[in-house]
Amino acid sequence: MKTIVFLGAPGAGKGTQAAKVAKETGFIHISTGDIFRAELKNNTELGKQAKDYMDKGELVPDTLVVNMVEQKVAELTDANGILLDGFPRNVEQARAMEGRIPVDVVINIQVNRDVLVNRLSSRRFCPTCQNTQPVSAGAACQKCGAGVIQRDDDKEEVILNRMTVYEQQTKPLIEYYDKQNRLVTINGDRDIDVVSADILKEVQK
Ligand code: AMP
């Protein structure tokens, strides 16, 4: 089973690109953010434990996340590949998965900070099917037609905190995976299909 990690700042397009690659390859897309949002919506114990951290744009404690991902991956014995979107989010998580979920390729989607802040504050989320789309696409989800909303953590003060959390905790993973010769950096500030074509080439190598 191939394991691909999608790395990038909030708003870089990890979720959008992982969903496209999943469609092309049949690999399973695992978004830790989507899982937490679903747990929150269903008011589960895990959702309750994650809520305060998510509201502030902080990382949920490593043990909760690592256990959750390992459990998901263990259920996927038949998958040809998995696409990890939003995990690992710091070096401790990366170390915790080593040996148990070996990583083949890390796709680092690079986008300038100004573009990111603009993208995050002007994107909308569908609580029904988890689609993300720009505010210019209107109030109905382009995939399922339900009403879209702004994620609480896409509001300006939280966005700035998420950026800081990324810089301090997630960005060191670039060097971590580069040293392991697993890192491929892709310019994410281009048309979505151009970006996904580049990513697909790397995934299928
Ligand atoms: P995302 O949709 O990937 O931006 O994730 C939304 C929120 O879920 C983050 O701001 C964190 O609070 C939490 N989260 C998602 N993935 C992780 C992770 N790997 N480690 C810790 N917290 C996470």
Side-chain angles (χ1 to χ4, degrees):
M1 185 170 73
K2 215 168 181 177
T3 300
I4 316 288
V5 167
F6 284 75
L7 204 60
K14 298 184 298 290
T16 303
Q17 293 299 339
K20 281 175 82 69
V21 172
K23 214 169 168 186
E24 292 290 330
T25 57
F27 289 3
I28 308 294
H29 178 188
I30 300 176
S31 157
T32 42
D34 281 353
I35 298 172
F36 282 131
R37 278 183 288 279
E39 298 279 340
L40 207 62
K41 196 171 145 191
N42 295 329
N43 212 15
T44 65
E45 202 44 49
L46 182 58
K48 282 182 213 160
Q49 285 172 309
K51 184 179 186 317
D52 284 351
Y53 299 99
M54 294 176 77
D55 284 349
K56 288 189 223 141
E58 306 282 343
L59 295 187
V60 174
D62 292 340
T63 42
L64 286 183
V65 188
V66 171
N67 287 341
M68 180 183 87
V69 172
E70 286 190 347
Q71 222 172 316
K72 285 268 164 207
V73 173
E75 287 163 12
L76 297 173
T77 44
D78 289 344
N80 289 326
I82 51 172
L83 307 166
L84 294 176
D85 157 16
F87 179 88
R89 206 69 156 235
N90 59 28
V91 171
E92 290 70 27
Q93 292 178 11
R95 289 215 177 98
M97 74 188 276
E98 234 155 61
R100 286 183 275 191
I101 312 172
V103 172
D104 294 288
V105 183
V106 178
I107 305 289
N108 174 36
I109 308 180
Q110 178 84 46
V111 178
N112 286 340
R113 191 189 158 105
D114 292 352
V115 177
L116 292 172
V117 174
N118 193 22
R119 267 193 203 173
L120 288 172
S121 54
S122 64
R123 75 179 185 181
R124 294 295 177 266
F125 172 72
C126 174
T128 305
C129 77
Q130 317 237 316
N131 177 41
T132 296
Q133 63 188 39
V135 71
S136 57
C141 173
Q142 287 177 314
K143 291 219 170 116
C144 78
V148 294
I149 56 162
Q150 183 172 41
R151 274 169 50 176
D152 283 340
D153 62 351
D154 279 347
K155 294 185 178 149
E156 201 172 328
E157 43 317 341
V158 186
I159 289 175
L160 297 179
N161 193 35
R162 289 167 73 202
M163 288 297 169
T164 307
V165 168
Y166 167 76
E167 294 282 336
Q168 293 177 347
Q169 302 191 49
T170 310
K171 219 173 165 187
L173 285 173
I174 294 179
E175 200 187 323
Y176 180 87
Y177 283 122
D178 195 26
K179 277 192 181 146
Q180 298 184 358
N181 283 326
R182 295 201 164 85
L183 192 83
V184 178
T185 295
I186 303 276
N187 171 9
D189 192 7
R190 296 174 295 162
D191 182 84
I192 288 178
D193 292 334
V194 176
V195 176
S196 60
D198 276 4
I199 295 176
L200 211 52
K201 264 187 242 156
E202 296 298 332
V203 170
Q204 287 170 335
K205 259 184 193 167

